[in-house]
Each structure stands twice: as structure tokens, then as C-alpha cells.
Amino acid sequence: MNTMPIKAHILSAKQTALEASRGDKMSSMRIAALEDDVDQAHLVKHVLTFAGHDCHIFTTGKSLLYQLSRGESYDLLILDWQLPDIPGPDVVRWIR
């Protein structure tokens, strides 16, 4: 278990994003992140948005699957493996 305070994670993530932005410019990606922990979801969204990406947060597997079933598409999916409603492996199986 990582015991680094959340503020330290944010500062580290900001530094990483800043260093990445100084290098080769990557095109912006549309990213879906599935995370039921609200603090972690905010951190993920903050870091990815700071890096120039369009980040969509989902707090339940059902909400992500609903959007995907409606035809929404993403360049990258970031999945929490242990969710209260649908386990991460089941989300991956549905997507495949």
C-alpha cells in the first residue's frame, strides 16, 4: 500500500505532466477512466486534463458500459479492477 499523501501524488503527477509537455507533442486523447474512489478519480482527471487530454470519469462499471453501448468511443480506457457493481475483468470481457 502506498502511503504517499494525496498532495504529494498530485505534485508528482503535475511534474510528470509538465516534463512530458516539454518533449514531443502528443495528440490529445479522449480517455475514459473507471474509478469508484472519488479522490483517485479527481486525481486521474486532473493529471490527464493537465496533460492536455479529454478525460471522462465513470464511478461505476454500469455507467461506463452504458456509454459504450450508446456508441461513445475512447482512445484509452483506464479501469479499476475491483468495483462494487461490476468487476474490472467483466468490463474488459464486455468491451472485447
Side-chain angles (χ1 to χ4, degrees):
M1 181 175 184
N2 192 342
T3 59
M4 184 184 291
I6 191 93
K7 286 185 180 183
H9 279 292
I10 291 171
L11 292 175
S12 175
K14 282 183 178 180
Q15 182 64 30
T16 300
L18 183 60
E19 289 168 0
S21 71
R22 292 182 186 146
D24 295 332
K25 292 290 182 188
M26 296 184 341
S27 61
S28 176
M29 290 192 294
R30 185 171 152 85
I31 301 172
L34 175 58
E35 174 59 66
D36 63 325
D37 181 294
V38 176
D39 292 330
Q40 290 295 322
H42 286 301
L43 176 62
V44 168
K45 183 173 180 79
H46 178 78
V47 170
L48 293 174
T49 301
F50 185 81
H53 301 291
D54 182 17
C55 183
H56 301 262
I57 298 294
F58 297 91
T59 57
T60 66
K62 289 180 183 178
S63 62
L64 173 60
L65 293 179
Y66 175 74
Q67 285 302 111
L68 292 170
S69 72
R70 294 185 63 220
E72 291 290 333
S73 64
Y74 301 95
D75 300 311
L76 175 68
L77 299 175
I78 300 173
L79 305 176
D80 185 344
W81 217 235
Q82 295 179 341
L83 297 163
D85 64 336
I86 302 174
D90 290 348
V91 172
V92 172
R93 277 190 283 279
W94 187 92
I95 293 169
R96 285 184 173 177

